[in-house]
Amino acid sequence: MGKKGKGWLLLGGGMVLGAVLASRRREKTEEVPSPQAEAQADIRREMERLKQGYEKQDRMRRDFTANVSHELKTPLTSISGYAEILREGIVKQEDVGRFAGKIYEESQRLITLVEDILNLSLLDEGAPAQEAPGAVDLYQVCQETLATLGPAARRRGIGMSLSGRRHTVHGVEKILREIVYNLCDNAIKYNVEGGRMEVSVTREGSYVVLLVQDTGIGIPEGETDRVFERFYRVDKSHSKEIGGTGLGLSIVKHGAAYHNAQIRLDSQLGKGTRIWVRFPAGEEEKP
């Protein structure tokens, strides 16, 4: 009986010891997650990150669609209104030309908007360019762009200058032209009457730097990052008079990213804006 009792005691002690050990194993398991648990946690975090990314993209798509609808509707409404008046024959003969001119202006605005949307969509989706990249003389692109924008600058009495020298960038010429054009176009539109726009193409180490600066209205502090958003305008109250689609700097941003270029912006309200785009130098530029 003593042995049996002793056996039971040992058995009881073994059961207690086993329970303690099991408890400690559970505590250890809880303190140090298993590789499977860590993997599951990583998956959950990644799924949450993807979900937030999809939600952000969905909001951006909705905002973009709403903005596009508004921007398309404005010129279409004007075209429809002027055309209806002409059709009804209630316009004086001497005013027909003026009404036709308004229709032409609004239709050009519509064409420009559609082209900007298509360009931005291609850049945004990372679609391959329709032309092969190659060595592009950025200085020459600037020369030709200023010649194109000359009439618009002269109408507002804005002086233009180009400095620097010829430097090549390896890239897609059409996209590079879009970058230069939109920067210079903005520097004219948002300038003051009789102001100046200065463009330069220089070399800094292994980069070719495009600088466009103006003496325009400037950008309020805290809004410099927003100017690269789609349809964002600094002066919303005069957006119609100023013109443009509100997509210019967004195209610049995506075009620069396409060429692995960096953008820097410096602006003072009422004093003007400077925008630098630093492109990796083309093979012809490397020593």
Side-chain angles (χ1 to χ4, degrees):
M1 291 292 292
K3 290 182 179 180
K4 288 183 180 178
K6 188 175 181 181
W8 280 108
L9 288 173
L10 288 175
L11 179 60
M15 291 175 65
V16 171
L17 179 62
V20 170
L21 292 175
S23 175
R24 289 180 178 177
R25 283 197 296 270
R26 285 197 299 272
E27 290 175 359
K28 186 176 180 181
T29 302
E30 291 173 358
E31 291 174 359
V32 183
S34 66
Q36 293 86 349
E38 290 181 351
Q40 290 176 352
D42 289 340
I43 292 172
R44 285 194 296 271
R45 285 192 292 268
E46 181 64 16
M47 290 179 65
E48 182 62 26
R49 187 186 68 81
L50 290 173
K51 178 185 175 184
Q52 292 176 358
Y54 290 144
E55 290 175 348
K56 181 179 179 181
Q57 290 179 355
D58 189 51
R59 287 194 302 271
M60 290 175 63
R61 279 194 295 268
R62 290 198 302 270
D63 292 343
F64 184 65
T65 301
N67 284 322
V68 168
S69 300
H70 172 75
E71 294 293 333
L72 289 172
K73 186 177 180 180
T74 301
L76 283 172
T77 301
S78 296
I79 291 171
S80 177
Y82 288 124
E84 183 177 7
I85 293 173
L86 288 172
R87 185 191 65 181
E88 297 299 325
I90 57 178
V91 179
K92 295 178 181 179
Q93 189 61 38
E94 58 268 26
D95 291 334
V96 170
R98 182 169 62 86
F99 275 65
K102 290 291 185 181
I103 292 175
Y104 175 78
E105 290 174 7
E106 293 296 332
S107 63
Q108 290 300 116
R109 178 183 172 189
L110 195 58
I111 291 170
T112 301
L113 175 61
V114 171
E115 289 176 346
D116 281 353
I117 291 172
L118 291 174
N119 288 333
L120 185 57
S121 296
L122 290 173
L123 290 170
D124 197 23
E125 293 169 4
Q130 295 179 350
E131 60 180 276
V136 180
D137 186 337
L138 193 60
Y139 188 90
Q140 182 179 343
V141 170
C142 290
Q143 280 182 317
E144 294 171 357
T145 300
L146 293 186
T148 300
L149 291 171
R154 286 190 291 272
R155 281 194 296 270
R156 304 194 63 220
I158 295 172
M160 300 188 299
S161 66
L162 173 62
S163 61
R165 65 181 183 86
R166 297 185 181 280
H167 292 288
T168 59
V169 171
H170 183 76
V172 178
E173 184 173 342
K174 182 179 183 299
I175 299 176
L176 292 171
R177 287 185 179 277
E178 287 285 340
I179 292 173
V180 176
Y181 180 89
N182 281 293
L183 287 175
C184 293
D185 188 44
N186 268 15
I188 293 173
K189 286 177 179 172
Y190 292 94
N191 216 320
V192 295
E193 296 288 338
R196 284 198 59 77
M197 175 183 70
E198 299 175 5
V199 183
S200 66
V201 180
T202 56
R203 176 71 183 268
E204 293 181 4
S206 58
Y207 292 92
V208 173
V209 181
L210 167 69
L211 168 62
V212 178
Q213 55 186 337
D214 62 61
T215 56
I217 62 176
I219 304 167
E221 187 177 355
E223 295 188 31
T224 53
D225 291 337
R226 296 202 61 196
V227 296
F228 293 99
E229 295 177 7
R230 299 169 182 179
F231 295 109
Y232 181 79
R233 289 187 174 92
V234 174
D235 189 357
K236 299 178 180 64
S237 61
H238 295 90
S239 60
K240 187 172 183 180
E241 292 84 350
I242 291 173
T245 62
L247 295 173
L249 288 184
S250 186
I251 291 174
V252 170
K253 175 184 175 181
H254 285 74
Y258 187 92
H259 288 88
N260 296 315
Q262 304 164 348
I263 299 178
R264 177 188 164 199
L265 184 148
D266 178 43
S267 184
Q268 287 184 288
L269 193 62
K271 293 186 177 181
T273 300
R274 293 182 293 175
I275 299 180
W276 294 263
V277 186
R278 300 172 75 237
F279 297 93
E283 291 295 329
E284 296 79 0
E285 290 284 323
K286 296 179 180 178

